Amino acid sequence: MRKLSLLFILFAQVVFAGSKVEIYASKIDSQNGTVIASGGVTVVYTDYFLTAKKATYHRESGDLELFKDIRVNYRGKYKILGEYAKMNLAQKERTFKPFYMLDTASEVWMNGKKGYAKDNDIDITSGLVSGCDPIDPMWKVAFSSSDYDAKSMWLNIYNARFYLYDIPIFYTPYFGYSLDTIRRTGLLMPSLGVSQSEGFYYEQPIYIAEQNWWDLELKPQVRTSRGVGGYATYRFVDSSVSKGYLDLGYFREKDSYFTASQVNLKNQKHFGWNFGYTNTDFLNQWFGADLSGQSGVYVDTSYMNDVEYINLATNNAQNQITANQVISRINAFYNTDENYVATYFKYYQNLDKENDDSTLQQLPALHYHHYIDTFLKDHLIYSLDLQSKNLYRKIGANVVRTDINLPILLQGNFLDEYLNLSYKANVYMQHSSFRHRGNYDFQDGYYVRNYHSLKVSTQLIKPYDDFVHIVSFGVSYNKNAQSKETGYYEKYSEFCSQLINQDDPQCEFYNINRISEEANFDFTQYLYDNGGNEFLYHRLSQKVSYENKDRLGELENELDLKLDTHLSYYNNVFYNHQFHRFTRVLNRIDYNHFGLVMNLSHLFKYDIAKAQTNEDPYTKYLTSSFHYKYNTHYSFAGMYNYDIELKQRKAASIGFTYQKRCWEFGVKYSENNRPILDVSGNSSSVYDRYLFISVILKPFMQSDPNNALIEYRISDN
């Protein structure tokens, strides 16, 4: 026997199967091919770093045994603790009794009576797993056996019992979970809900990701008192420059729910689809071209037989839409430094109508734009824009409308750049060719004009000790030089130019903005602190007409004031001199400090055109929201939207969230006024009230503010 005893840490090296085992200890004995180390043992083997009070290494068998206070660190990703460990370096086998493992990335720990590992697989017998503090964890999962793949970071648990502290909650024979973010096929977190009218709600998403370029999410759902249905989302990435998705959905109402008098729905079956696709280099990719410019395709198309298709896609009432129109778009373009060419398709589906036969569709629009060019050392600037739109519908008049706009600008600086002077000549033409004239005798025609604009402006900058003041003042003068109109424009220009007639069906295709002889006075000022941060923006604008009896146009005042780094105020006001009243007033306050984020806004509008037709001209709307983080655990949030003129609450919510390292609990009460299509085909609305309960067990679940685990619909009775 040879005994080595040193006052300093000793080092022993063993080479086995091409891998080096390094053993550090304050005391090492060697006897008959067995190395015995004690006194602060440290073992380094490939990517493993191990510490223990005692270790033995058998050269012949390749077994390494560790005793007492064992710590194992593998590539810094997880740590394993135990009282006894045996590692066979030849077979790459490891045994721990008892077993404790901590994944440092996800902070998930696992313990068991015994742990056996070979290569990247770890099997655990009879233990617990949790993401909470190991001392009295808030939640834990007990299991009879478990296995973990350290390479794929996938955890399987068998005969799992979920506990809230020591109270058993539910049992499942199997539970699997990934400790990383790699997509895998499996079940996603279910959604639950309870409603007096719809009964018990359950949705179980199924996620399929067999290849890295696509995935599929199936979401079957049941509402026990209302019906059953399902939604699916297919996502794909077909190249490095393109990706897309396809949504499908179907839901069928039960006869008892559909015929209930308080429901009054138009359709018993709700279905629809949505397809989206983007490609940022389609010309080169699809047609084998070698173009230096940028090309792109954008697709966002939808169809649904009514608004309930969207509202039934989720159990979250906050996601239910309140709009009455869905727009489908297909855009394609090619862009260079000098030119832009594009085509646009737009299809409008009105969810509050039985069909869209009378709705104007844009199928398609063609667009060409020549970017700004300069002459005379950048003093002469011009550009060209041409658009042609095919406005089509089954019932009513159709038209192909073409717009041409050619602005030419001459500009210069004078008096040592204190004075800026510019002159613009703008040639504009619009042509309308009617394909179907509807109930009116619309005639093809064109409108062409040339108008002049002269602008004089100056800008002054004055630095002070604590801030910089910038003042801009400008005066522009516009005059219509020549104009000519034929056909439709000649017949309807006088009638449709009047504000009171703009909503008349005869003016549906008339969008000419008259150029009056007028001047516009514009004053703008800015204040910046020494750090370059703007804390005041103020603009005042007034038009003066030289044609109308009422010479003064609407006065606009805009103010954006940052009272400090946490509080800001915005105001935008329009005042009509003729009617001696404000036509639009918007006020908004934003606050962000001490964990509180809050905004409050109020909108007032007075529509003069509606007032002249005896319609209600007023719009008064209040919106507000807040989020308050009380401390690291508690946060509160709420919102309130109210239509003051209609005396109708549009939406409201209030709730709180409590979160810790391993779990999160939230409660929210929400109200929402949403549209429906009633049995008569008319637009109606339903006022929903819900209670949302969210429970997140980290890291097995992820927090989602738009989705709750449990939803309860509160009865109106």
Side-chain angles (χ1 to χ4, degrees):
M1 180 184 73
R2 180 179 59 172
K3 181 177 181 180
L4 300 175
S5 179
L6 300 175
L7 296 176
F8 302 96
I9 295 177
L10 297 181
F11 164 70
Q13 287 192 15
V14 181
V15 177
F16 187 88
S19 298
K20 182 173 66 175
V21 178
E22 302 175 9
I23 302 176
Y24 300 84
S26 59
K27 184 177 181 180
I28 296 180
D29 293 334
S30 178
Q31 183 178 5
N32 298 328
T34 300
V35 177
I36 302 172
S38 59
V41 179
T42 299
V43 179
V44 179
Y45 172 66
T46 61
D47 294 321
Y48 290 91
F49 186 84
L50 308 93
T51 62
K53 286 189 175 181
K54 180 181 177 181
T56 62
Y57 177 72
H58 306 280
R59 296 176 184 269
E60 184 175 349
S61 64
D63 290 336
L64 173 65
E65 294 182 281
L66 304 174
F67 304 90
K68 301 293 184 181
D69 297 336
I70 303 169
R71 307 285 190 274
V72 180
N73 189 307
Y74 175 69
R75 294 181 179 176
K77 293 183 178 180
Y78 61 82
K79 297 179 180 180
I80 302 174
L81 287 77
E83 292 298 308
Y84 170 78
K86 181 179 180 180
M87 306 177 65
N88 187 288
L89 304 182
Q91 302 297 325
K92 297 184 179 180
E93 295 178 334
R94 304 169 298 281
T95 301
F96 297 87
K97 296 181 182 179
F99 173 84
Y100 180 89
M101 181 184 75
L102 171 66
D103 183 82
T104 54
S106 62
E107 294 188 325
V108 172
W109 57 264
M110 175 182 293
N111 66 18
K113 291 183 178 179
K114 178 182 177 182
Y116 171 78
K118 184 172 183 179
D119 295 327
N120 293 311
D121 298 324
I122 303 174
D123 296 323
I124 303 98
T125 303
S126 184
L128 298 172
V129 63
S130 177
C132 298
D133 192 324
I135 302 176
D136 193 24
M138 181 268 181
W139 67 266
K140 56 181 177 285
V141 181
F143 56 85
S144 61
S145 62
S146 176
D147 56 75
Y148 175 67
D149 189 327
K151 184 176 181 180
S152 64
M153 299 184 69
W154 181 264
L155 176 66
N156 293 312
I157 299 174
Y158 305 95
N159 293 316
R161 289 92 66 196
F162 284 76
Y163 288 85
L164 182 63
Y165 290 108
D166 293 324
I167 303 173
I169 303 300
F170 67 92
Y171 164 85
T172 178
Y174 168 78
F175 176 73
Y177 184 78
S178 175
L179 297 181
D180 64 5
T181 57
I182 297 176
R183 302 178 308 154
R184 293 181 175 86
T185 298
L187 300 179
L188 302 178
M189 186 178 73
S191 295
L192 309 173
V194 179
S195 168
Q196 183 173 353
S197 60
E198 298 184 1
F200 176 72
Y201 168 88
Y202 180 76
E203 179 186 85
Q204 177 57 70
I206 304 169
Y207 186 68
I208 302 172
E210 295 302 304
Q211 293 177 298
N212 62 1
W213 65 273
W214 67 268
D215 60 31
L216 175 64
E217 186 176 353
L218 305 174
K219 298 189 291 185
Q221 62 167 271
V222 58
R223 302 172 191 250
T224 55
S225 298
R226 181 169 183 176
V228 296
Y231 290 78
T233 298
Y234 173 72
R235 291 173 289 259
F236 61 92
V237 177
D238 57 330
S239 74
S240 61
V241 295
S242 57
K243 61 182 179 179
Y245 67 90
L246 174 64
D247 293 331
L248 299 171
Y250 175 85
F251 190 92
R252 188 184 190 281
E253 311 279 1
K254 286 186 174 182
D255 294 339
S256 57
Y257 184 89
F258 180 68
T259 56
S261 59
Q262 67 271 21
V263 177
N264 199 30
L265 291 174
K266 173 64 177 178
N267 300 309
Q268 187 171 10
K269 299 176 182 178
H270 315 288
F271 53 85
W273 55 265
N274 178 258
F275 175 73
Y277 182 77
T278 57
N279 188 309
T280 57
D281 193 21
F282 81 100
L283 289 178
N284 290 332
Q285 185 186 61
W286 294 356
F287 303 103
D290 187 20
L291 301 174
S292 59
Q294 180 189 10
S295 63
V297 169
Y298 171 79
V299 180
D300 182 9
T301 58
S302 303
Y303 174 78
M304 61 202 71
N305 68 331
D306 62 26
V307 69
E308 288 299 293
Y309 162 76
I310 299 179
N311 293 334
L312 289 166
T314 174
N315 72 321
N316 190 348
Q318 299 172 95
N319 290 341
Q320 295 179 341
I321 69 166
T322 57
N324 294 325
Q325 191 177 74
V326 176
I327 304 176
S328 295
R329 294 182 176 90
I330 301 178
N331 299 337
F333 73 90
Y334 177 70
N335 186 41
T336 66
D337 293 337
E338 296 180 350
N339 300 288
Y340 174 86
V341 182
T343 181
Y344 317 117
F345 293 79
K346 280 186 181 180
Y347 187 89
Y348 300 87
Q349 183 182 4
N350 295 290
L351 302 179
D352 55 355
K353 295 182 180 180
E354 289 194 73
N355 58 64
D356 303 299
D357 292 347
S358 60
T359 302
L360 277 175
Q361 314 294 348
Q362 181 180 288
L363 302 171
L366 302 177
H367 186 195
Y368 169 76
H369 183 81
H370 180 74
Y371 290 113
I372 292 176
D373 258 344
T374 61
F375 285 109
L376 304 176
K377 298 182 179 180
D378 297 340
H379 292 297
L380 185 65
I381 300 174
Y382 75 94
S383 65
L384 174 65
D385 191 87
L386 187 151
Q387 294 192 50
S388 184
K389 298 179 181 179
N390 178 32
L391 303 178
Y392 168 82
R393 60 187 168 191
K394 291 183 179 180
I395 300 176
N398 301 329
V399 67
V400 176
R401 188 169 64 203
T402 303
D403 294 83
I404 301 175
N405 195 10
L406 176 62
I408 302 174
L409 178 69
L410 181 64
Q411 63 179 4
N413 301 317
F414 304 92
L415 303 179
D416 197 21
E417 298 188 351
Y418 276 95
L419 183 66
N420 305 311
L421 180 64
S422 67
Y423 163 76
K424 182 172 73 171
N426 197 315
V427 179
Y428 173 76
M429 176 181 177
Q430 184 178 101
H431 178 269
S432 291
S433 176
F434 292 91
R435 302 301 175 90
H436 186 273
R437 308 184 191 282
N439 297 326
Y440 302 96
D441 187 23
F442 293 150
Q443 300 297 319
D444 296 354
Y446 66 84
Y447 175 86
V448 61
R449 72 176 174 216
N450 174 35
Y451 73 90
H452 307 289
S453 179
L454 181 66
K455 184 175 181 180
V456 180
S457 64
T458 185
Q459 185 177 82
L460 302 175
I461 302 176
K462 175 67 174 179
Y464 294 88
D465 292 338
D466 299 324
F467 63 92
V468 176
H469 188 201
I470 301 176
V471 176
S472 299
F473 181 77
V475 179
S476 62
Y477 173 77
N478 298 324
K479 182 176 177 58
N480 192 17
Q482 295 178 347
S483 65
K484 185 177 181 180
E485 51 198 10
T486 64
Y488 173 77
Y489 301 95
E490 184 178 12
K491 182 176 181 180
Y492 292 101
S493 61
E494 183 176 351
F495 177 79
C496 294
S497 296
Q498 299 179 31
L499 187 64
I500 193 175
N501 300 324
Q502 288 185 353
D503 293 330
D504 191 282
Q506 298 176 90
C507 304
E508 186 175 16
F509 300 103
Y510 192 89
N511 67 340
I512 300 298
N513 295 319
R514 289 290 180 180
I515 302 298
S516 303
E517 184 180 0
E518 62 182 17
N520 186 64
F521 297 84
D522 191 84
F523 170 79
T524 308
Q525 60 177 331
Y526 309 85
L527 290 178
Y528 291 88
D529 62 21
N530 290 333
N533 302 308
E534 178 190 296
F535 64 89
L536 183 141
Y537 166 79
H538 178 226
R539 182 175 66 89
L540 193 64
S541 179
Q542 174 66 66
K543 288 185 178 180
V544 178
S545 175
Y546 297 97
E547 294 181 355
N548 300 327
K549 178 181 178 181
D550 301 302
R551 300 188 64 181
L552 294 179
E554 289 195 333
L555 172 69
E556 181 184 3
N557 182 80
E558 185 179 16
L559 174 67
D560 190 356
L561 175 63
K562 295 176 176 59
L563 300 173
D564 58 27
T565 56
H566 315 296
L567 180 63
S568 64
Y569 168 71
Y570 178 82
N571 171 263
N572 189 220
V573 176
F574 288 82
Y575 179 79
N576 189 287
H577 298 277
Q578 178 185 0
F579 292 90
H580 305 291
R581 63 165 61 245
F582 293 103
T583 57
R584 186 180 188 272
V585 180
L586 173 64
N587 288 285
R588 188 180 72 238
I589 297 176
D590 295 283
Y591 180 79
N592 185 357
H593 195 40
F594 298 117
L596 175 63
V597 179
M598 179 181 68
N599 66 75
L600 175 67
S601 68
H602 176 266
L603 173 65
F604 168 85
K605 289 180 66 178
Y606 181 85
D607 193 319
I608 295 176
K610 289 184 177 180
Q612 294 177 338
T613 57
N614 296 322
E615 297 181 67
D616 184 5
Y618 291 100
T619 298
K620 303 173 186 176
Y621 207 86
L622 176 70
T623 62
S624 62
S625 67
F626 81 93
H627 182 274
Y628 177 55
K629 188 173 182 179
Y630 177 71
N631 55 29
T632 56
H633 301 304
Y634 286 98
S635 62
F636 304 86
M639 56 89 69
Y640 185 82
N641 297 337
Y642 186 75
D643 192 319
I644 301 174
E645 182 65 20
L646 298 178
K647 298 181 180 179
Q648 186 180 76
R649 186 167 58 249
K650 305 298 289 186
S653 69
I654 186 72
F656 80 92
T657 301
Y658 180 81
Q659 56 183 341
K660 297 191 73 173
R661 170 189 137 183
C662 66
W663 64 279
E664 182 178 309
F665 175 78
V667 177
K668 179 189 290 185
Y669 170 77
S670 178
E671 299 179 356
N672 185 38
N673 196 348
R674 61 181 175 89
I676 64 170
L677 193 65
D678 64 22
V679 68
S680 302
N682 299 319
S683 177
S684 183
S685 63
V686 173
Y687 201 83
D688 294 325
R689 297 187 299 155
Y690 282 87
L691 183 67
F692 301 96
I693 300 175
S694 60
V695 179
I696 306 296
L697 305 181
K698 303 175 183 179
F700 296 143
M701 301 176 182
Q702 297 295 324
S703 179
D704 183 359
N706 295 319
N707 196 17
L709 177 64
I710 300 174
E711 174 182 314
Y712 176 72
R713 184 175 182 180
I714 301 173
S715 172
D716 295 331
N717 298 327

